[in-house]
Amino acid sequence: MTVLKEWLHRDLSSREKLLLILGAFDEPAKLDDIRDRAIQAGFRIPKKWNLSDILGKSGGMALRLPAGWELSQSGKAHLQAMGVGLANSAAVRIAVDLRGHLDKIKNATTRAFVEEAINCYEAGLHRSAIVMSWIAAVDVLYHEIATHHLLAFNKEAKAVNVKWKDAVNADGLSRMGESDFLERLVPIGVIGKNVKEELQKALKLRNGCGHPNSLKTGPNMVASHIEMLLLNVFETFSS
């Protein structure tokens, strides 16, 4: 919804604005639905606009079906050429739910990181959203350890690897592989075993998204990834 709101307030033609609104639906939309969706995005369609006439003269970019109007493939291609990341209505609802967690994050820097990850999600940049949210989560955990648990962490790290050189700050913690880092947090009571297992899964997904490969991601997968980090890292440790 944030992406739609941003684009609707740009200096665009009435046709392009209506195409943008149609792009937020995952099924044919009636004229009243189009007007309502515009209002939800903070834009009130002028009364003088004849929606059927504008869409009907879109050169085939909008199609009139028995159930309402929808974007054609040429309409989707036109918006993508404009640089618009289309999100279906289900993805929009998920993004709204994710943004509902932001107010629970007290640290302004962390909140900015998470909001950027959600922005990537809303724009359809799924891999970027996964990578960005993971980087932010690890940074939060590093800060938590460096501030409150450094002695216990170094002791546990040495118990596992005698060659470990004590970390004195967050940068020192980054010398340890992220998977091993998560393992060290359980014995010192920072996270539980079940949380560690979920974070390990998130790390594996982040690694899959951070390198060129055939891995496919979708909005639900990304939303689940971000929500897990919100509940178990950002809201828990971002004070």
Side-chain angles (χ1 to χ4, degrees):
M1 190 66 72
T2 299
V3 174
L4 178 60
K5 181 177 181 179
E6 176 188 346
W7 279 89
L8 287 177
H9 286 82
R10 295 188 183 187
D11 185 18
L12 301 173
S13 68
S14 58
R15 182 190 69 179
E16 289 178 329
K17 289 188 176 183
L18 292 181
L19 292 175
L20 281 164
I21 297 168
L22 279 183
F25 290 91
D26 55 5
E27 58 187 10
K30 297 185 180 301
L31 298 182
D32 285 343
D33 297 328
I34 294 172
R35 293 188 181 94
D36 289 343
R37 182 58 55 85
I39 291 174
Q40 291 171 14
F43 176 75
R44 186 174 294 277
I45 295 176
K47 292 183 179 180
K48 65 180 181 180
W49 286 13
N50 185 324
L51 305 192
S52 295
D53 183 63
I54 295 171
L55 293 173
K57 295 179 179 179
S58 65
M61 289 189 287
L63 302 176
R64 187 170 190 172
L65 306 176
W69 289 89
E70 73 173 11
L71 282 182
S72 66
Q73 289 302 315
S74 64
K76 294 177 182 178
H78 178 72
L79 293 186
Q80 289 170 345
M82 290 169 57
V84 181
L86 298 179
N88 61 35
S89 59
V92 170
R93 288 194 297 271
I94 292 171
V96 171
D97 290 340
L98 291 175
R99 286 190 174 277
H101 291 280
L102 285 175
D103 291 339
K104 301 177 184 178
I105 300 176
K106 299 177 183 179
N107 184 280
T109 300
T110 301
R111 189 164 57 248
F113 272 125
V114 177
E115 186 164 18
E116 185 168 345
I118 295 175
N119 286 340
C120 289
Y121 170 80
E122 290 175 322
L125 304 175
H126 296 152
R127 287 189 174 222
S128 297
I130 288 171
V131 172
M132 173 59 69
S133 57
W134 177 257
I135 291 174
V138 172
D139 183 67
V140 168
L141 290 173
Y142 282 168
H143 177 76
E144 173 69 16
I145 298 303
T147 304
H148 303 293
H149 308 279
L150 201 54
L151 290 177
F153 179 88
N154 283 323
K155 181 179 179 180
E156 178 62 24
K158 279 188 174 180
V160 176
N161 180 8
V162 294
K163 294 183 179 180
W164 171 254
K165 183 178 180 181
D166 284 352
V168 297
N169 52 33
D171 288 341
L173 295 170
S174 66
R175 289 188 281 106
M176 182 179 291
E178 291 177 347
S179 180
D180 290 338
F181 172 75
L182 295 174
E183 292 285 352
R184 304 290 83 78
L185 302 188
V186 177
I188 63 176
V190 175
I191 59 175
K193 180 181 178 181
N194 291 334
V195 172
K196 181 209 70 175
E197 291 175 351
E198 291 301 314
L199 291 176
Q200 293 281 18
K201 292 177 185 177
L203 172 58
K204 185 176 181 180
L205 180 59
R206 178 262 174 239
N207 290 338
C209 291
H211 302 89
N213 53 53
S214 60
L215 176 66
K216 294 182 179 180
T217 60
N220 292 328
M221 180 190 297
V222 181
S224 176
H225 171 86
I226 296 177
E227 185 174 42
M228 188 280 293
L229 295 178
L230 280 166
L231 294 172
N232 294 286
V233 178
F234 298 117
E235 292 182 9
T236 302
F237 300 111
S238 299
S239 57

